[in-house]
Amino acid sequence: MSRTDTIGDRIRVLREFRDVTQQQLADRAGCSIDTIRKLEQNVRLSAAIATLRALARALDVELDRLLGQPTVTSSAPDDGGLLDLRDAIQDVGAIPGVLADDLADGVPAADAWLASVAHATSLYWRGGYSELSGVLPLLLRDGRAVARDTTGAGAERVWGQLALAYQLAASLATQSGHADWAFQAVEKQLAAAERASDPLMSGMGVSTLSWVLLRQGRWEQAQQVAERKADALEPSFRKATPAQYAVYGNLLIAAATPAARRDQHDEAAELINLAEAAATRSGPTRAYGSAFSVVDVQTQAVNVALAGQQSRPEDALRLAERVDLTVISRPVHKASHRVDVAHAQYATGDSDGALGTLLEVEATQPEWIRYQTLASATVREMLEAERRKNTPLRGLAARLGVDPTL
């Protein structure tokens, strides 16, 4: 990112486009006009993440856009890619009245396609976004053809896995800054879940939808849709299966995060407590392309403590102490938790600890970390205080696309 493409530059352009003064923007965002002035003059290149969220909201723009989140993968795959993923999600041939191409030739066997879905799920949780963007477009197109051609007892299973493929598409699109594509992918996921006659897959679809809405800044809707679906799927305490507890718990977690963003911390805490009770009942469970366990809930409690204007980083670090990193099975999940810890470390004055944690995350997830808004925002804040040249922080900043020329 160059000096002509900073957060302050984007704030100024958006503010002027909306014909509001710096004082009016400060009033709308509930922040100091001095902060806005220094950002626009590039005297400061960042602000506290809560302030940036408030400014994005006041400017009617997604936080990811304000921060300049990458919208491409770190390397272009030989086949597929994000634009092909968009085309696969926005299936022109599925629009009523459009004459679709005949794709009858080359339809893979159902078992081979199902194995490809499992491989794609593994890629996502390993953080292999570039490779995943190469395989997902064809996976979706083949999946629609397989679902169309499969009849009898195996049809519902294929539709269920097609729903999972759309869930992966929504997740990748969100991570790469394309929340509008993700919303459309969730619609396709929920439609496929209906064809699969699987209310639990529908529940996971709503959990994904809640996350997409969260990334769009639609916090109240994100909480509402997840809470309503959780109420509808609330399992029987005595008779529920682990998968039922897992989907229910994931919906509760999905509702807790936007509640905390809205500074409804009591509501968020209650949702987290219910999710932990569900995880205790279920035990560690893998279902519907995700995982659910007590440690999953514990890491989310750390994230919730950092959310909103009333962020509580000391509580986040205290909650992080009970997280056993050795039992976290998904590499991306562990990395996400460690980014939360780094932000809490920096917010409590431990800049060296935060930098060390972020460098550890980068060492294990070099591609994934480049898409993480919180990681980039934390590094920007750290750069404001770090004026020396040629430090490890500046190297990390450059690799994350944060302007290192303070």
Side-chain angles (χ1 to χ4, degrees), residues 196-210:
S197 302
D198 191 341
L200 294 182
M201 175 54 82
S202 177
M204 286 302 297
V206 172
S207 178
T208 306
L209 173 62
S210 176

Side-chain angles (χ1 to χ4, degrees), residues 2-14:
S2 70
R3 277 292 223 176
T4 57
D5 188 22
T6 64
I7 291 174
D9 292 334
R10 286 187 282 273
I11 290 173
R12 176 181 51 78
V13 169
L14 288 165

Side-chain angles (χ1 to χ4, degrees), residues 101-117:
D101 291 334
D102 184 5
L103 301 177
D105 294 336
V107 177
D111 287 345
W113 180 78
L114 292 170
S116 296
V117 176

Side-chain angles (χ1 to χ4, degrees), residues 297-316:
V297 182
Q298 290 174 340
T299 57
Q300 194 60 33
V302 174
N303 180 271
V304 162
L306 293 170
Q309 295 284 351
Q310 301 171 17
S311 176
R312 296 166 289 126
E314 296 86 357
D315 289 348

